[in-house]
Amino acid sequence: MSEEVVIYTDGACKGNPGPGGWGALLVYKGVERELWGGEADTTNNRMELSAAIQSLASLTRSCRVKLVTDSEYVMRGMQEWLPNWKKRGWKTAARQPVKNADLWQQLDEQVNRHQVEWQWVRGHTGHPGNERADQLANRGVSELGSR
């Protein structure tokens, strides 16, 4: 594991719930790859999670990854909440089922394939990688009707 892959992810939703999209920009040794997709009826949080899952799943071998997100939900989930959810059988501290547990489990599976460092950036502040991921997420929404 030498070179690091930098991944910028974002999710978008028109209405919450509503039509949503996810986008990811992967950068490896100066080469860029764009990924995006969408769902007709979803939430912003599900799209943020999907962006991280799909981008990590697209890596064909174990990599060192810096995953840059503007989602505090994804960051805090991975860094703070996930270990306790797993200990409690995917229940919150209030013993309620964890929202989006299906996606959290998929993300956990993908993260375990790689060496992931998480980095949070404030959204919509002109951060180039984050802006590109946002454009891709919106593309995921706009292409829903054209499939």
Side-chain angles (χ1 to χ4, degrees):
M1 285 205 238
S2 53
E3 294 287 331
E4 181 177 66
V5 180
V6 180
I7 302 176
Y8 302 91
T9 63
D10 201 15
C13 213
K14 308 301 175 201
N16 207 8
W22 59 267
L25 173 66
L26 290 72
V27 184
Y28 179 68
K29 293 184 179 177
V31 177
E32 295 183 352
R33 181 172 171 210
E34 297 179 333
L35 302 173
W36 66 91
E39 287 181 32
D41 186 28
T42 188
T43 65
N44 195 58
N45 284 341
R46 288 187 72 81
M47 292 296 91
E48 294 282 0
L49 286 164
S50 294
I53 293 162
Q54 297 295 338
S55 59
L56 290 170
S58 75
L59 301 173
T60 55
R61 63 177 193 274
S62 182
C63 300
R64 269 190 326 119
V65 176
K66 180 192 284 182
L67 200 145
V68 183
T69 178
D70 64 3
S71 171
E72 288 187 58
Y73 176 70
V74 171
M75 275 282 293
R76 294 189 67 198
M78 289 310 295
Q79 295 183 325
E80 298 172 34
W81 307 328
L82 193 75
N84 288 324
W85 288 341
K86 287 164 85 170
K87 276 187 217 147
R88 291 191 291 256
W90 294 96
K91 298 271 193 279
T92 65
R95 299 278 174 241
Q96 296 302 307
V98 170
K99 282 190 178 124
N100 305 314
D102 57 331
L103 295 181
W104 284 113
Q105 289 163 358
Q106 288 176 48
L107 182 54
D108 187 41
E109 210 172 283
Q110 290 303 324
V111 165
N112 288 330
R113 293 178 50 229
H114 306 287
Q115 189 182 323
V116 181
E117 174 196 337
W118 296 89
Q119 183 182 333
W120 181 81
V121 295
R122 186 172 300 285
H124 311 291
T125 55
H127 186 286
N130 180 253
E131 294 295 331
R132 291 271 301 281
D134 179 62
Q135 288 164 5
L136 292 166
N138 283 301
R139 184 172 176 178
V141 180
S142 66
E143 289 184 5
L144 274 173
S146 62
R147 286 193 189 151

